[in-house]
Amino acid sequence: MIQENQTLPENLPAHIAVIMDGNGRWAQARGLPRSAGHRAGAEAVRIVVTECRSLGIRHLTLYAFSSENWNRPKAEISALFSLLLEFLRQEVPLMEEKGIALKVLGDLDGLPLPQRTALRHAMSRTAHGREMILNLALNYGGRAELVRAVQSFLREGASPEMVTEKSLAARLYTRDQPDPDLLIRTSGEQRLSNYLLYQCAYSELYFTPTLWPDFGVAQLHEALAAYAARSRRFGKTQEQINVS
Ligand code: IPE
Ligand code: IPE
Ligand code: MG
């Protein structure tokens, strides 16, 4: 366990992606409605965004609503979307002040109008932020993202030679951003749930039993320490890594 006052490792990830899971179980354990778990989860988002910004993490990508989450009860979906509006209202002015640019990964057009409007406004208001990019994956699915990229090639009448890893990556929501170095999933589940399937090809995976509302600065530091202790080889041998 890393104490908050301990020094942090030098090699921090440039891009952290998070699957914020366990809000429902956090609420259930307290005899509260699931929406209370999501509210507590939004607080954890504030804490983690603030800490990443002060650590100088350049890209943070949070999975907030998957394309599969439409299968949840209507009341829960509307509670989540109300929280999103509340979050934007409170956080966008602060984000602007701190140089954080907000981006949305996912099908914005499939979101309800008030959320779509607030997100567009938030994105344009923070677009000049140069310190950090906060990506919110909303109405996002990794497979749908790949299908969309293929469709865009076809629409342009691209020849097979024009389809490369680079040109494909340029058609993803994350275009111009580095791949996640570290993927964190909370709540003990060990799966990707259709998240950043292409981009996480070489990400270090970190799973923690902590439920998302309980994830704070200390837990983030712990994940960063675990990441720093990993040996990323990208297909090479450890000996090759050692001499380079
Ligand atoms: C993650 O927490 C938040 C969203 C998926 C929006 P869950 O709501 O999935 O919490 P559990 O997995 O039911 O505990
Ligand atoms: C993944 O969590 C999606 C988000 C965190 C937004 P889920 O709770 O929806 O994932 P599954 O259904 O357990 O795989
Ligand atoms: Mg879940």
Side-chain angles (χ1 to χ4, degrees), residues 20-25 34 69 72 185 187 189 191:
M20 311 183 288
D21 200 7
N23 294 352
R25 276 162 284 172
R34 293 179 62 86
N69 288 145
R72 294 196 177 197
R185 183 169 190 150
S187 89
E189 309 300 342
R191 54 177 171 268

Side-chain angles (χ1 to χ4, degrees), residues 22-46 72 75-83 86 211-214:
N23 294 352
R25 276 162 284 172
W26 183 93
Q28 196 180 20
R30 287 163 179 75
L32 297 169
R34 293 179 62 86
S35 58
H38 295 314
R39 181 166 288 281
E43 195 46 46
V45 169
R46 282 189 192 96
R72 294 196 177 197
E76 179 172 351
I77 296 174
S78 74
L80 276 167
F81 284 144
S82 303
L83 268 174
E86 201 179 305
L211 302 174
W212 176 250
D214 294 326

Side-chain angles (χ1 to χ4, degrees), residues 125-143:
R125 197 165 153 191
T126 60
H128 59 276
R130 289 290 169 270
E131 298 304 319
M132 176 172 141
I133 294 178
L134 173 62
N135 298 300
L136 282 187
L138 274 166
N139 197 14
Y140 173 87
R143 288 181 174 178

Side-chain angles (χ1 to χ4, degrees), residues 3-244:
Q3 298 303 313
E4 277 177 47
N5 55 6
Q6 264 182 279
T7 50
L8 276 157
E10 265 170 41
N11 59 329
L12 292 174
H15 186 169
I16 303 178
V18 187
I19 303 178
M20 311 183 288
D21 200 7
N23 294 352
R25 276 162 284 172
W26 183 93
Q28 196 180 20
R30 287 163 179 75
L32 297 169
R34 293 179 62 86
S35 58
H38 295 314
R39 181 166 288 281
E43 195 46 46
V45 169
R46 282 189 192 96
I47 292 167
V48 169
V49 171
T50 305
E51 182 61 10
C52 284
R53 168 67 180 79
S54 23
L55 292 173
I57 306 286
R58 308 289 294 188
H59 305 259
L60 176 64
T61 302
L62 303 176
Y63 207 0
F65 193 84
S66 75
S67 31
E68 288 71 30
N69 288 145
W70 290 112
N71 294 317
R72 294 196 177 197
K74 273 208 170 62
E76 179 172 351
I77 296 174
S78 74
L80 276 167
F81 284 144
S82 303
L83 268 174
L84 174 64
L85 286 184
E86 201 179 305
F87 179 85
L88 293 173
R89 237 185 333 261
Q90 290 177 358
E91 297 305 305
V92 168
L94 297 172
M95 288 174 61
E96 196 182 4
E97 210 178 285
K98 291 182 184 167
I100 304 176
L102 180 83
K103 296 198 179 199
V104 172
L105 315 183
D107 180 14
L108 201 54
D109 292 333
L111 294 176
L113 186 61
Q115 282 72 14
R116 210 187 311 158
T117 310
L119 286 164
R120 289 228 165 90
H121 173 76
M123 284 191 280
S124 67
R125 197 165 153 191
T126 60
H128 59 276
R130 289 290 169 270
E131 298 304 319
M132 176 172 141
I133 294 178
L134 173 62
N135 298 300
L136 282 187
L138 274 166
N139 197 14
Y140 173 87
R143 288 181 174 178
E145 180 182 37
L146 287 166
V147 168
R148 185 175 164 270
V150 172
Q151 286 172 339
S152 106
F153 278 123
L154 294 174
R155 220 170 276 125
E156 291 161 26
S159 65
E161 297 70 35
M162 286 162 75
V163 182
T164 62
E165 291 188 12
K166 200 169 163 205
S167 65
L168 176 63
R171 282 163 174 78
L172 302 178
Y173 294 119
T174 46
R175 65 185 157 274
D176 300 330
Q177 298 191 55
D179 287 338
D181 301 292
L182 171 64
L183 170 72
I184 298 173
R185 183 169 190 150
T186 58
S187 89
E189 309 300 342
Q190 302 191 2
R191 54 177 171 268
L192 291 178
S193 300
N194 205 12
Y195 194 40
L196 304 171
L197 297 181
Y198 190 83
Q199 297 90 334
C200 283
Y202 259 105
S203 307
E204 292 296 327
L205 310 181
Y206 178 84
F207 300 107
T208 168
T210 303
L211 302 174
W212 176 250
D214 294 326
F215 194 91
V217 170
Q219 289 72 19
L220 178 67
H221 289 188
E222 212 173 320
L224 292 172
Y227 170 79
R230 303 273 177 97
S231 170
R232 301 186 80 188
R233 288 195 284 276
F234 300 100
K236 296 181 181 175
T237 68
Q238 187 59 54
E239 288 67 31
Q240 287 174 297
I241 303 291
N242 293 343
V243 294
S244 68

